[in-house]
Amino acid sequence: MHRSHTCGELRLSNAGTKVTLSGWVARNRKMGGLVFVDLRDRYGITQLSFNEAVNADLMAAAEKLGREFVVKATGMVRERESKNAAMPTGDIEIMVEQLEVLNPAKTPPFTIEDDTDGGDELRMEYRYLDLRRNPVRRNLELRHRTARAIRNYLSDADFMEVETPVLIKSTPEGARDFVVPSRLNPGSWYALPQSPQTFKQLLMVSGFDKYFQIVKCFRDEDLRADRQPEFTQVDCEMSFVEREDILQTFEGLTRHLFREVLNTELPELPRMTYADAMRLYGSDKPDVRFGMEFCELTEIAKGKGFPVFDGAEAIIAISAPGAASFTRKQLDELTDFVKRPQIGAKGLIWCRVEADGSLRSSVDKFYGQEDLAGWQQACGANPGDLMLLLAGGLNETRKQMNELRLEMGSRLGLRNPFDFKPLWVVDFPLLEFDADSGRWHAMHHPFTSPLPEDVHLMDSDPGAVRANAYDLVINGVEIGGGSIRIHDRALQQRMFSLLGFSAEEAQHRFGFLLNAFEYGAPPHGGIALGFDRLCSLFGGSDSIRDFIAFPKNNAGRDVMIDAPSTLDDTQLKELGILKG
Ligand code: ASP
């Protein structure tokens, strides 16, 4: 027998019992004639105790145990003399009678402690050791609890988990495909799914009217903290539903998850149109944990002889509560912030509402107290607030102001990661014009249905057509998105032609779906939630990597197994990639 208990479960009530524990040596200290070894496993740490006076050989053996040795110890549980209230097992220790080294270990390249001395790269290279650390292990436990709560909720609501294939052909979600060469079909390639989108729609045609899958998806994109080349979605689809049914079902799931995983009750989720989100926050994933909504001053601030404003399509302001006390240095920092190339503003205008109500701005030369009072009124700014203004083209100014607003939210401490403010963003545009290719692109994907009342605009004004699509946004992060789908072959074909596919191309790429639509496709719709993002949100972190057991680094590499890597010529020839 390797163990009778785990290293996390013994308490004072177990005193006097003989137990066997197995685990890793976390720490080993000698104090005179005594040796104490902290034995660790997934469940906790238990102190092993050795006494020279009782058994000198055993104590000598214990003294030699190195960090991370795998050890089995048998002995009596007894009350500790000096208790450790910070540890659940801190009241007891094991008086060891038998000790066996199951496997020695090299000294780990970094300390396996909550606060480790290992840098990111090193920890990634030895990820299996990093995973022994409490904070990382806790993240994976949270992930497991979340997955389980999702499966329970959806299964209870009659959803069926169905697996869909990984070797498929391109599914357009707007990213590049990862591809796999086919040895049996030289010159042909599979694509890895960017999502199971087409398969879940086919399952609806098959009559599985509630489907879900916790599934790996693959997108060859440039990486950021919240992106990985392979990631996990909670992918769902339902038949005979309208948008309202889907929003209700997945609002229910969201609420269930917050309750189960975080013990938090969420209020009803508000809804905001895409148009409002852009107008008030300059983003389709607004962080509504704090106010500072945009206020358009275009009408009132133009035409006073200030050239920057006079030449602008839009003048947008936010009012930062209590920030009138910002020093010159802080204001300069904000100006530098908006002028960074990633943000690209030309400059920043500010206006303080002093405690006595007087107004001071960086453009006092052009605007008198009365003008500034007009701004203050339009923005609803109070004494002590700081108004910040950006001007330029409408879309770019909104984008820049979104960044500035988030920065101000962070600086003012208004973005507590455990204050959760979810909402639905609805009525996205169906199409986006891409100036580079001179073509319309699907904003979501090409299977998204237009709002019925906008279908008539598809030919005359495609840019004005709204999609029957929705995103679940929490704290400025897009946690999920979906839509009611097109289930009619003619409309789907029309959509493909709007996107610039010829009838032959559409048939070649998506013939299977178009054909299926002719065999009784029910009205259907669905959603996919980013599972890694959801877990990192629950864990209060920005980085999804911390919630994935074996993640890739910023360059898309797994530095532990050293992938991607080269293939030898034989393999390349077999795959038909290398001739000869
Ligand atoms: N397949 C979509 C995505 O991956 C989600 C959906 O429309 O259900 O974003």
Side-chain angles (χ1 to χ4, degrees), residues 188-207:
S188 293
W189 303 73
Y190 299 101
L192 302 183
Q194 291 186 35
S195 81
Q197 185 62 35
T198 47
F199 286 96
K200 66 174 171 175
Q201 292 193 240
L202 293 171
L203 285 170
M204 295 303 110
V205 179
S206 306

PDB file of all heavy atoms in Angstrom, residues 188-207:
ATOM      1  N   SER A 188      -3.149  16.827 -50.854  1.00  0.00           N
ATOM      2  CA  SER A 188      -4.375  17.313 -50.189  1.00  0.00           C
ATOM      3  C   SER A 188      -4.103  17.546 -48.708  1.00  0.00           C
ATOM      4  O   SER A 188      -3.255  16.886 -48.108  1.00  0.00           O
ATOM      5  CB  SER A 188      -5.504  16.292 -50.323  1.00  0.00           C
ATOM      6  OG  SER A 188      -5.886  16.194 -51.668  1.00  0.00           O
ATOM      7  N   TRP A 189      -4.856  18.455 -48.152  1.00  0.00           N
ATOM      8  CA  TRP A 189      -4.642  18.894 -46.778  1.00  0.00           C
ATOM      9  C   TRP A 189      -5.944  18.926 -46.017  1.00  0.00           C
ATOM     10  O   TRP A 189      -6.989  19.281 -46.562  1.00  0.00           O
ATOM     11  CB  TRP A 189      -4.051  20.318 -46.776  1.00  0.00           C
ATOM     12  CG  TRP A 189      -2.786  20.433 -47.550  1.00  0.00           C
ATOM     13  CD1 TRP A 189      -2.664  20.404 -48.914  1.00  0.00           C
ATOM     14  CD2 TRP A 189      -1.469  20.555 -47.019  1.00  0.00           C
ATOM     15  NE1 TRP A 189      -1.343  20.515 -49.259  1.00  0.00           N
ATOM     16  CE2 TRP A 189      -0.577  20.615 -48.114  1.00  0.00           C
ATOM     17  CE3 TRP A 189      -0.958  20.638 -45.719  1.00  0.00           C
ATOM     18  CZ2 TRP A 189       0.790  20.746 -47.961  1.00  0.00           C
ATOM     19  CZ3 TRP A 189       0.406  20.770 -45.557  1.00  0.00           C
ATOM     20  CH2 TRP A 189       1.267  20.820 -46.676  1.00  0.00           C
ATOM     21  N   TYR A 190      -5.866  18.560 -44.768  1.00  0.00           N
ATOM     22  CA  TYR A 190      -6.977  18.834 -43.858  1.00  0.00           C
ATOM     23  C   TYR A 190      -6.743  20.215 -43.255  1.00  0.00           C
ATOM     24  O   TYR A 190      -5.605  20.681 -43.180  1.00  0.00           O
ATOM     25  CB  TYR A 190      -6.998  17.859 -42.686  1.00  0.00           C
ATOM     26  CG  TYR A 190      -7.169  16.405 -43.032  1.00  0.00           C
ATOM     27  CD1 TYR A 190      -6.079  15.548 -43.056  1.00  0.00           C
ATOM     28  CD2 TYR A 190      -8.434  15.888 -43.292  1.00  0.00           C
ATOM     29  CE1 TYR A 190      -6.233  14.202 -43.349  1.00  0.00           C
ATOM     30  CE2 TYR A 190      -8.596  14.540 -43.577  1.00  0.00           C
ATOM     31  CZ  TYR A 190      -7.492  13.709 -43.611  1.00  0.00           C
ATOM     32  OH  TYR A 190      -7.652  12.379 -43.882  1.00  0.00           O
ATOM     33  N   ALA A 191      -7.813  20.841 -42.789  1.00  0.00           N
ATOM     34  CA  ALA A 191      -7.663  22.026 -41.947  1.00  0.00           C
ATOM     35  C   ALA A 191      -8.149  21.631 -40.553  1.00  0.00           C
ATOM     36  O   ALA A 191      -9.063  20.809 -40.417  1.00  0.00           O
ATOM     37  CB  ALA A 191      -8.473  23.170 -42.494  1.00  0.00           C
ATOM     38  N   LEU A 192      -7.516  22.175 -39.523  1.00  0.00           N
ATOM     39  CA  LEU A 192      -8.032  21.955 -38.163  1.00  0.00           C
ATOM     40  C   LEU A 192      -9.156  22.963 -37.925  1.00  0.00           C
ATOM     41  O   LEU A 192      -9.088  24.090 -38.419  1.00  0.00           O
ATOM     42  CB  LEU A 192      -6.919  22.152 -37.131  1.00  0.00           C
ATOM     43  CG  LEU A 192      -5.689  21.267 -37.303  1.00  0.00           C
ATOM     44  CD1 LEU A 192      -4.697  21.523 -36.167  1.00  0.00           C
ATOM     45  CD2 LEU A 192      -6.074  19.798 -37.334  1.00  0.00           C
ATOM     46  N   PRO A 193     -10.182  22.565 -37.184  1.00  0.00           N
ATOM     47  CA  PRO A 193     -11.340  23.462 -37.037  1.00  0.00           C
ATOM     48  C   PRO A 193     -11.023  24.757 -36.297  1.00  0.00           C
ATOM     49  O   PRO A 193     -10.428  24.729 -35.216  1.00  0.00           O
ATOM     50  CB  PRO A 193     -12.339  22.627 -36.227  1.00  0.00           C
ATOM     51  CG  PRO A 193     -11.544  21.526 -35.611  1.00  0.00           C
ATOM     52  CD  PRO A 193     -10.349  21.290 -36.476  1.00  0.00           C
ATOM     53  N   GLN A 194     -11.407  25.869 -36.887  1.00  0.00           N
ATOM     54  CA  GLN A 194     -11.392  27.139 -36.142  1.00  0.00           C
ATOM     55  C   GLN A 194     -12.557  27.131 -35.167  1.00  0.00           C
ATOM     56  O   GLN A 194     -12.551  27.846 -34.169  1.00  0.00           O
ATOM     57  CB  GLN A 194     -11.496  28.317 -37.107  1.00  0.00           C
ATOM     58  CG  GLN A 194     -10.248  28.484 -37.966  1.00  0.00           C
ATOM     59  CD  GLN A 194     -10.295  29.732 -38.824  1.00  0.00           C
ATOM     60  OE1 GLN A 194     -10.835  30.753 -38.409  1.00  0.00           O
ATOM     61  NE2 GLN A 194      -9.730  29.664 -40.004  1.00  0.00           N
ATOM     62  N   SER A 195     -13.558  26.336 -35.468  1.00  0.00           N
ATOM     63  CA  SER A 195     -14.672  26.054 -34.562  1.00  0.00           C
ATOM     64  C   SER A 195     -15.454  24.904 -35.207  1.00  0.00           C
ATOM     65  O   SER A 195     -15.278  24.645 -36.390  1.00  0.00           O
ATOM     66  CB  SER A 195     -15.576  27.271 -34.402  1.00  0.00           C
ATOM     67  OG  SER A 195     -16.459  27.353 -35.511  1.00  0.00           O
ATOM     68  N   PRO A 196     -16.308  24.236 -34.428  1.00  0.00           N
ATOM     69  CA  PRO A 196     -17.118  23.178 -35.050  1.00  0.00           C
ATOM     70  C   PRO A 196     -18.382  23.725 -35.736  1.00  0.00           C
ATOM     71  O   PRO A 196     -19.362  23.006 -35.898  1.00  0.00           O
ATOM     72  CB  PRO A 196     -17.513  22.290 -33.871  1.00  0.00           C
ATOM     73  CG  PRO A 196     -16.799  22.829 -32.689  1.00  0.00           C
ATOM     74  CD  PRO A 196     -16.459  24.246 -32.979  1.00  0.00           C
ATOM     75  N   GLN A 197     -18.349  24.986 -36.125  1.00  0.00           N
ATOM     76  CA  GLN A 197     -19.542  25.679 -36.600  1.00  0.00           C
ATOM     77  C   GLN A 197     -20.396  24.862 -37.583  1.00  0.00           C
ATOM     78  O   GLN A 197     -21.568  24.637 -37.355  1.00  0.00           O
ATOM     79  CB  GLN A 197     -19.150  27.014 -37.241  1.00  0.00           C
ATOM     80  CG  GLN A 197     -20.332  27.866 -37.666  1.00  0.00           C
ATOM     81  CD  GLN A 197     -21.213  28.282 -36.510  1.00  0.00           C
ATOM     82  OE1 GLN A 197     -20.733  28.533 -35.412  1.00  0.00           O
ATOM     83  NE2 GLN A 197     -22.520  28.308 -36.727  1.00  0.00           N
ATOM     84  N   THR A 198     -19.789  24.427 -38.687  1.00  0.00           N
ATOM     85  CA  THR A 198     -20.633  23.763 -39.697  1.00  0.00           C
ATOM     86  C   THR A 198     -21.150  22.424 -39.177  1.00  0.00           C
ATOM     87  O   THR A 198     -22.291  22.048 -39.449  1.00  0.00           O
ATOM     88  CB  THR A 198     -19.867  23.563 -41.014  1.00  0.00           C
ATOM     89  OG1 THR A 198     -18.581  23.018 -40.722  1.00  0.00           O
ATOM     90  CG2 THR A 198     -19.681  24.883 -41.736  1.00  0.00           C
ATOM     91  N   PHE A 199     -20.328  21.722 -38.396  1.00  0.00           N
ATOM     92  CA  PHE A 199     -20.784  20.427 -37.881  1.00  0.00           C
ATOM     93  C   PHE A 199     -21.950  20.570 -36.924  1.00  0.00           C
ATOM     94  O   PHE A 199     -22.875  19.778 -36.916  1.00  0.00           O
ATOM     95  CB  PHE A 199     -19.630  19.686 -37.212  1.00  0.00           C
ATOM     96  CG  PHE A 199     -18.675  19.127 -38.212  1.00  0.00           C
ATOM     97  CD1 PHE A 199     -17.529  19.817 -38.550  1.00  0.00           C
ATOM     98  CD2 PHE A 199     -18.952  17.937 -38.863  1.00  0.00           C
ATOM     99  CE1 PHE A 199     -16.655  19.321 -39.504  1.00  0.00           C
ATOM    100  CE2 PHE A 199     -18.087  17.430 -39.821  1.00  0.00           C
ATOM    101  CZ  PHE A 199     -16.931  18.124 -40.144  1.00  0.00           C
ATOM    102  N   LYS A 200     -21.895  21.624 -36.087  1.00  0.00           N
ATOM    103  CA  LYS A 200     -23.016  21.740 -35.137  1.00  0.00           C
ATOM    104  C   LYS A 200     -24.293  22.101 -35.880  1.00  0.00           C
ATOM    105  O   LYS A 200     -25.381  21.679 -35.512  1.00  0.00           O
ATOM    106  CB  LYS A 200     -22.704  22.688 -33.986  1.00  0.00           C
ATOM    107  CG  LYS A 200     -22.526  24.140 -34.301  1.00  0.00           C
ATOM    108  CD  LYS A 200     -22.359  24.925 -32.988  1.00  0.00           C
ATOM    109  CE  LYS A 200     -21.961  26.357 -33.209  1.00  0.00           C
ATOM    110  NZ  LYS A 200     -21.910  27.137 -31.973  1.00  0.00           N
ATOM    111  N   GLN A 201     -24.143  22.840 -36.981  1.00  0.00           N
ATOM    112  CA  GLN A 201     -25.340  23.154 -37.762  1.00  0.00           C
ATOM    113  C   GLN A 201     -25.877  21.887 -38.436  1.00  0.00           C
ATOM    114  O   GLN A 201     -27.085  21.673 -38.505  1.00  0.00           O
ATOM    115  CB  GLN A 201     -25.024  24.238 -38.787  1.00  0.00           C
ATOM    116  CG  GLN A 201     -24.740  25.573 -38.126  1.00  0.00           C
ATOM    117  CD  GLN A 201     -24.738  26.736 -39.109  1.00  0.00           C
ATOM    118  OE1 GLN A 201     -23.742  27.412 -39.246  1.00  0.00           O
ATOM    119  NE2 GLN A 201     -25.844  26.963 -39.790  1.00  0.00           N
ATOM    120  N   LEU A 202     -24.959  21.024 -38.900  1.00  0.00           N
ATOM    121  CA  LEU A 202     -25.401  19.763 -39.500  1.00  0.00           C
ATOM    122  C   LEU A 202     -26.095  18.887 -38.461  1.00  0.00           C
ATOM    123  O   LEU A 202     -27.060  18.193 -38.764  1.00  0.00           O
ATOM    124  CB  LEU A 202     -24.215  19.027 -40.122  1.00  0.00           C
ATOM    125  CG  LEU A 202     -23.614  19.745 -41.346  1.00  0.00           C
ATOM    126  CD1 LEU A 202     -22.315  19.077 -41.770  1.00  0.00           C
ATOM    127  CD2 LEU A 202     -24.600  19.795 -42.501  1.00  0.00           C
ATOM    128  N   LEU A 203     -25.612  18.936 -37.210  1.00  0.00           N
ATOM    129  CA  LEU A 203     -26.269  18.161 -36.149  1.00  0.00           C
ATOM    130  C   LEU A 203     -27.711  18.631 -35.932  1.00  0.00           C
ATOM    131  O   LEU A 203     -28.577  17.842 -35.566  1.00  0.00           O
ATOM    132  CB  LEU A 203     -25.473  18.264 -34.841  1.00  0.00           C
ATOM    133  CG  LEU A 203     -24.183  17.441 -34.790  1.00  0.00           C
ATOM    134  CD1 LEU A 203     -23.357  17.802 -33.562  1.00  0.00           C
ATOM    135  CD2 LEU A 203     -24.490  15.942 -34.795  1.00  0.00           C
ATOM    136  N   MET A 204     -27.936  19.937 -36.171  1.00  0.00           N
ATOM    137  CA  MET A 204     -29.310  20.444 -36.048  1.00  0.00           C
ATOM    138  C   MET A 204     -30.171  19.856 -37.162  1.00  0.00           C
ATOM    139  O   MET A 204     -31.314  19.460 -36.944  1.00  0.00           O
ATOM    140  CB  MET A 204     -29.345  21.976 -36.102  1.00  0.00           C
ATOM    141  CG  MET A 204     -28.646  22.656 -34.939  1.00  0.00           C
ATOM    142  SD  MET A 204     -29.280  22.180 -33.316  1.00  0.00           S
ATOM    143  CE  MET A 204     -27.895  21.206 -32.695  1.00  0.00           C
ATOM    144  N   VAL A 205     -29.593  19.774 -38.376  1.00  0.00           N
ATOM    145  CA  VAL A 205     -30.328  19.160 -39.493  1.00  0.00           C
ATOM    146  C   VAL A 205     -30.628  17.700 -39.137  1.00  0.00           C
ATOM    147  O   VAL A 205     -31.674  17.152 -39.479  1.00  0.00           O
ATOM    148  CB  VAL A 205     -29.513  19.260 -40.811  1.00  0.00           C
ATOM    149  CG1 VAL A 205     -30.261  18.593 -41.955  1.00  0.00           C
ATOM    150  CG2 VAL A 205     -29.210  20.719 -41.143  1.00  0.00           C
ATOM    151  N   SER A 206     -29.702  17.059 -38.392  1.00  0.00           N
ATOM    152  CA  SER A 206     -29.896  15.659 -37.988  1.00  0.00           C
ATOM    153  C   SER A 206     -30.920  15.500 -36.877  1.00  0.00           C
ATOM    154  O   SER A 206     -31.264  14.374 -36.523  1.00  0.00           O
ATOM    155  CB  SER A 206     -28.577  15.071 -37.489  1.00  0.00           C
ATOM    156  OG  SER A 206     -27.571  15.239 -38.443  1.00  0.00           O
ATOM    157  N   GLY A 207     -31.349  16.589 -36.276  1.00  0.00           N
ATOM    158  CA  GLY A 207     -32.384  16.492 -35.260  1.00  0.00           C
ATOM    159  C   GLY A 207     -31.900  16.471 -33.815  1.00  0.00           C
ATOM    160  O   GLY A 207     -32.696  16.315 -32.899  1.00  0.00           O
TER     161      GLY A 207
END
